[in-house]
Amino acid sequence: MAELGEAGEAELQRLVAAEQQKAQFTAQVHHFMELCWDKCVEKPGNRLDSRTENCLSSCVDRFIDTTLAITSRFAQIVQKGGQ
């Protein structure tokens, strides 16, 4: 394999880091979905009742809000670190 050079190595490291972040995010989503399922679904059936739907919706909304807040905070930290 030909040598990548400094710029190529940096790009490769960036791509690997991005893939690791995607994998970590996917794992967090799966874990979160398990938590919401365990919290909200008492007995699985053909349909979800309105209480279960509301619980799952609220659980997902909290997850999205929390994820956005954390992402925003990390972006602020990275931006301050880059200055």
Side-chain angles (χ1 to χ4, degrees), residues 30-75:
H30 286 287
H31 177 69
F32 176 75
M33 293 308 297
E34 284 182 27
L35 291 175
C36 286
W37 182 267
D38 291 344
K39 178 182 191 274
C40 297
V41 180
E42 293 177 12
K43 47 185 173 176
N46 293 337
R47 300 186 71 152
L48 298 176
D49 60 23
S50 62
R51 183 179 150 273
T52 303
E53 283 185 29
N54 288 336
C55 180
L56 286 169
S57 179
S58 294
C59 192
V60 170
D61 287 346
R62 283 193 308 270
F63 170 71
I64 291 170
D65 290 344
T66 302
T67 301
L68 290 174
I70 290 170
T71 302
S72 175
R73 182 65 182 134
F74 278 138

Side-chain angles (χ1 to χ4, degrees), residues 2-23:
E3 296 217 11
L4 293 174
E6 199 171 303
E9 283 187 39
E11 178 65 14
L12 182 59
Q13 287 177 352
R14 188 189 66 75
L15 291 172
V16 169
E19 288 302 315
Q20 287 174 332
Q21 287 176 338
K22 285 184 203 175

